[in-house]
């Protein structure tokens, strides 16, 4: 494993553990989610070490005390820029309601780099399963938001995008079946 990737994996794990972060539906240590996302990204033929490192780090700015400067100092400008592209810019409720914030974020993500979109596809794939399995009410909202996102986020790895669409449509079918 490339040294940068190994360092990003350890850095991400330490950052998420430092704040005691756990997965909402499974209560497993949160650091496992970035590992799963990074493994999906690593399987993409065009994946670079910077992309894989950013996949490990994709949630640290939102969820921990890590700053973009910390990431740039440790991993370089390219990784920092990818993580910034993946960091939700519209989470503050003062901006508007959830639908408005998600629309702004969707428009922004439609414009990020193909590398960031590839990582976002992997993030969506990993998150969808646990949400659909454990929270049908929220899953309806989540899946509708992700459908709109995949419709505009078209520049990333095509095979991973197809996989994201497949996971999304399977989730929608499960939710429809559960409501009958």
């Amino acid at each position: 494993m490339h040294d940068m990737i190994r360092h990003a994996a350890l850095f991400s794990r330490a950052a998420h553990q430092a704040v005691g972060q756990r997965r909402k539906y499974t209560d497993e240590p949160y650091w496992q989610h970035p590992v799963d996302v990074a493994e999906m990204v690593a399987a993409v033929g065009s994946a670079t070490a910077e992309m894989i490192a950013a996949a490990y780090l994709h949630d640290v700015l939102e969820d921990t005390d890590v700053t973009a400067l910390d990431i740039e100092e440790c991993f370089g400008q390219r990784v920092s820029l990818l993580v910034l592209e993946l960091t939700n810019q519209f989470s503050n409720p003062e901006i508007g309601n959830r639908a408005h914030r998600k629309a702004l974020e969707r428009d922004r993500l439609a414009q990020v780099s193909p590398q960031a979109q590839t990582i976002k596809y992997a993030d969506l794939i990993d998150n969808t399963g646990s949400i659909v399995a454990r929270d049908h009410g929220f899953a309806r909202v989540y899946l509708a938001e992700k459908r709109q996102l995949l419709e505009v986020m078209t520049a990333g790895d095509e095979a991973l995008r197809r996989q994201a669409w497949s996971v999304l449509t399977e989730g929608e079918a499960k939710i429809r079946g559960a409501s009958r």
Side-chain angles (χ1 to χ4, degrees):
M1 186 190 306
H2 191 280
D3 282 345
M4 179 193 322
I5 295 169
R6 185 178 5 263
H7 184 215
L10 294 171
F11 188 100
S12 172
R13 183 175 180 157
H16 290 292
Q17 284 182 322
V19 295
Q21 190 177 11
R22 304 195 67 81
R23 293 287 285 187
K24 179 176 180 180
Y25 297 107
T26 64
D27 199 42
E28 70 185 358
Y30 191 87
W31 59 264
Q32 185 60 52
H33 167 64
V35 168
D36 295 341
V37 171
E39 288 175 354
M40 275 186 259
V41 172
V44 171
S46 61
T48 64
E50 290 83 3
M51 286 173 66
I52 299 165
Y56 276 111
L57 300 166
H58 78 274
D59 280 336
V60 296
L61 297 181
E62 291 177 21
D63 299 338
T64 75
D65 296 328
V66 173
T67 67
L69 183 58
D70 295 333
I71 294 173
E72 186 171 347
E73 288 175 353
C74 291
F75 302 100
Q77 185 177 26
R78 183 66 192 132
V79 172
S80 179
L81 289 173
L82 283 169
V83 174
L84 283 168
E85 284 185 295
L86 294 162
T87 300
N88 186 346
Q89 303 297 312
F90 300 102
S91 58
N92 186 338
E94 292 179 12
I95 295 170
N97 66 21
R98 180 183 176 92
H100 179 70
R101 293 190 318 269
K102 291 296 180 180
L104 292 171
E105 187 64 12
R106 179 180 61 245
D107 292 346
R108 187 189 71 77
L109 286 168
Q111 303 302 316
V112 300
S113 69
Q115 296 81 14
Q117 287 190 12
T118 296
I119 298 165
K120 190 65 179 174
Y121 299 154
D123 183 42
L124 184 153
I125 291 165
D126 192 60
N127 283 327
T128 298
S130 64
I131 292 170
V132 168
R134 293 171 182 85
D135 190 343
H136 289 176
F138 177 64
R140 286 181 185 84
V141 173
Y142 173 86
L143 292 170
E145 291 168 351
K146 298 313 170 199
R147 173 171 283 283
Q148 292 174 338
L149 180 60
L150 284 175
E151 287 171 353
V152 299
M153 212 172 58
T154 60
D157 178 77
E158 189 54 39
L160 203 55
R161 184 171 184 260
R162 282 193 304 272
Q163 185 180 347
W165 270 111
S166 178
V167 168
L168 177 83
T169 56
E170 289 170 14
E172 290 170 334
K174 285 180 184 175
I175 295 302
R176 277 194 305 276
S179 65
R180 290 184 181 158

